[in-house]
Structure formats: C-alpha cells, structure tokens
Amino acid sequence: MAVSFSVSEWSGWRSGLPESYREDLVGLTVSEVPDVGAIPPILRRRLNMLGRACASEVLKHIPADTDIPIVYCSQHGDIERTLHVLESLVAKEAVSPVHFSLAVHNAICGVISIQAGNRASVSALSAGQQGLVPVLLEAIGMLVPGVNRVLCVICDVPLPEIYRDESSQPQVPYAVSFVVTSGDGIKLDLLQLAEGESMSNFRSPVDLIEFLGSDKSEFDLYHNGCMWRLARQ
Amino acid sequence: MSAEAFELELKELIIKTLELEDITPEDIVSTEPLFNDGLCLDSIDALELGVALQKLYGIKLDAESDETKKHFFSVSSLALLVAGKQKDRILNNEN
C-alpha cells in the first residue's frame, strides 16, 4: 500500500538554547519561547506554551488570501489546562471557564483561525509522539478536487510533573508544521516486516524537518506496530 | 473602602484573572464598557470574571439574567453589584 503527495513548505520550533541549533535543520527555529509577537495581546493571552508553539508555526503557512484546512495533532493536548480543571474539581472549587473551554482539543486552532481569519475546517487528532503517519494519512485523505493543500501541525509540551515518568515524551516543547499538497514528490509506503523483526527507533516529528531539508531519500517511521517509509520519488 | 479604591481593586482583579498582560488599571476607565467595545472582553471572560467574583467575594450570579448583563457593563456598575450583593449577604446573615 502506498500513497503519494508533496510537501510544499515546512517549519518547526523547539525550545532550547540558540547555540544548540544545527545548521542542517533548515526551517527549524530554536529559542527559549516561541515568537507570537504578531498575535495581539487580547488573543495571545488565550494561548499558553502549547498554543504559542503551535501558533508560531501554523501562522507561517496560512495564506493571506485563501482558507486552508488544518490537521492538528497533539498527543497530550493542552494537558496543563485539563489538569487545572481536574484539580479544581478535586478541591470542590468552581472550574475556570477559560481553562475548560480551551482544554478542548481543537481550541488552539480555533484561536489561530480567529487570528488568521481562516474559515476552513480543523481536524484535531491525538496520536503518539510518532504521530506523523496518522497526520499524513488524514491530510492526504482530505486532498480532493478543490482542496489541494492541507496545513498540518504536530505539537506537544512536556507532561506536567504529576503525569511524568522517565519515558515521557517530549522533553522540550516543540511544534512542527508543513503543507501537504497533491503531487508525487514523496511516497508513503507501508512496509512488511519479517516475522520477529521489530523496528523501534524513535523518530520525533522534529526529525521530519531534518528529512525535508536534506537530500536524504528515505525516512522510516514506526507507528502502532507497523513500519512506514517516506521516500522521495 | 472608598468607591474609588474598590474600583481599583476590581480593575486589578480583572487584569489578573483575564491575563490582560498589556493593560494597567489606569488604562481601564471605570465607566466605559468592558465587553465588545471598550476593553473588548468576550463571553468567556464574563464567565471567568463571574467565577473570580464568586471565589473572592462569595457572591453568586445568574449568567442568564438581564440584570447580570447590565451589571457587567463597566467597572463602576460591577462595583455597585458586588457592594450590593455583599450588603445583602451581611443582612441575610444578621437575620
């Protein structure tokens, strides 16, 4: 099984010291906090670290003159707000309407859509840290006559202390955004694994930036027991 | 507490509760609208402010009531509402 598509533009941000930036990661911004200076304060206050990471990258790819559908993916979503709501309930206090409404999985893209005036649909997925495969399949499935570009974003922040263990991912906040278009630049293929063969190398969504900006021909992904391969054509 | 000092307290509460990072109490005119025009707050802000008033002053508000909408018009009208509700509470406790 294989499907073809193209990626017309991409960018990413991850929290870190600028000196940890690698020049081969074309399109990746490394800084302490994401740059959301373009969003007015009245709207910016609705975005915490996850929302700001997401907005800083998504807004780079929303065209000024046309609407573009968005596929949003975050494993944990706005977990800090969800935790805040749960803590209020445990303490038998009134739940914050702001935290409650913005804890909804597609709320961040709602705020971004208001800022950008984007009226196209938003699909919100929750997939693991190797969630590129479901995002790509969702975006490719949305490419129909009349819709030839789908904006994708994958973002997450470290889990709050109460949920965290040594295997928790990610360790730093990040957001990766790219535009999937109809085309045949890249093929996504489901590989057959031989019996007993396993593939366990961890590929973070940030690694996609490295692949897209490089001349490497293949990028392997492991998802839910299956091996997938992105190959340039 | 003077009406002016109470209005300042409410302005500080509004800024802190609604995370208005670029606004100072001096920027908020007590008699100007808080919602839509003026400070440009929205319905989620109204609910959040209602919860904050409940927590801090122990007053309960009916979100559907037209009276509440009227009282949420400006800082001045909000100050009158809170003062009135607190007075009612004290009187009820005395009875």
Side-chain angles (χ1 to χ4, degrees), chain A residues 58 61-63 66-72 109 113 118-123 138-139 142-144 146-153 178-180:
Chain A
V58 168
H61 306 291
I62 298 183
T66 51
D67 291 340
I68 183 166
I70 297 174
V71 176
Y72 165 91
C109 282
S113 294
N118 188 34
R119 289 179 163 78
S121 68
V122 173
S123 292
E138 179 79 9
M142 289 164 72
L143 294 172
V144 291
V147 179
N148 53 11
R149 293 160 57 83
V150 177
L151 173 49
C152 303
V153 60
F178 50 93
V179 175
V180 167

Side-chain angles (χ1 to χ4, degrees), chain B residues 5-57:
Chain B
F6 188 48
E7 284 179 0
L8 177 65
E9 185 178 299
L10 281 179
K11 287 177 189 177
E12 284 166 351
L13 175 74
I14 289 168
I15 290 168
K16 185 167 165 274
T17 306
L18 306 181
E19 298 179 84
L20 300 167
E21 55 187 73
D22 62 329
I23 304 271
T24 65
E26 293 74 41
D27 296 327
I28 305 176
V29 180
S30 295
T31 52
E32 281 193 359
L34 289 170
F35 298 90
N36 302 322
D37 302 330
L39 212 50
C40 295
L41 302 181
D42 59 24
S43 56
I44 297 177
D45 292 316
L47 291 170
E48 191 73 18
L49 204 49
V51 169
L53 293 173
Q54 188 183 326
K55 274 186 186 169
L56 199 61
Y57 302 111

Side-chain angles (χ1 to χ4, degrees), chain A residues 19-40:
Chain A
E19 46 266 39
S20 63
Y21 169 76
R22 280 166 42 204
E23 280 190 358
D24 55 329
L25 293 177
V26 179
L28 183 72
T29 306
V30 180
S31 61
E32 200 177 335
V33 289
D35 179 9
V36 285
I39 305 174

Side-chain angles (χ1 to χ4, degrees), chain B residues 45-81:
Chain B
D45 292 316
L47 291 170
E48 191 73 18
L49 204 49
V51 169
L53 293 173
Q54 188 183 326
K55 274 186 186 169
L56 199 61
Y57 302 111
I59 60 165
K60 288 209 167 187
L61 299 160
D62 178 3
E64 300 299 322
S65 127
D66 284 342
E67 277 295 287
T68 307
K69 282 179 199 159
K70 209 169 77 186
H71 290 308
F72 269 60
F73 178 76
S74 67
V75 169
S76 296
S77 56
L78 210 50
L80 288 174
L81 168 79

Side-chain angles (χ1 to χ4, degrees), chain A residues 175-191:
Chain A
V176 168
S177 187
F178 50 93
V179 175
V180 167
T181 65
S182 355
D184 55 7
I186 298 172
K187 186 173 75 172
L188 175 64
D189 206 354
L190 177 60
L191 303 182

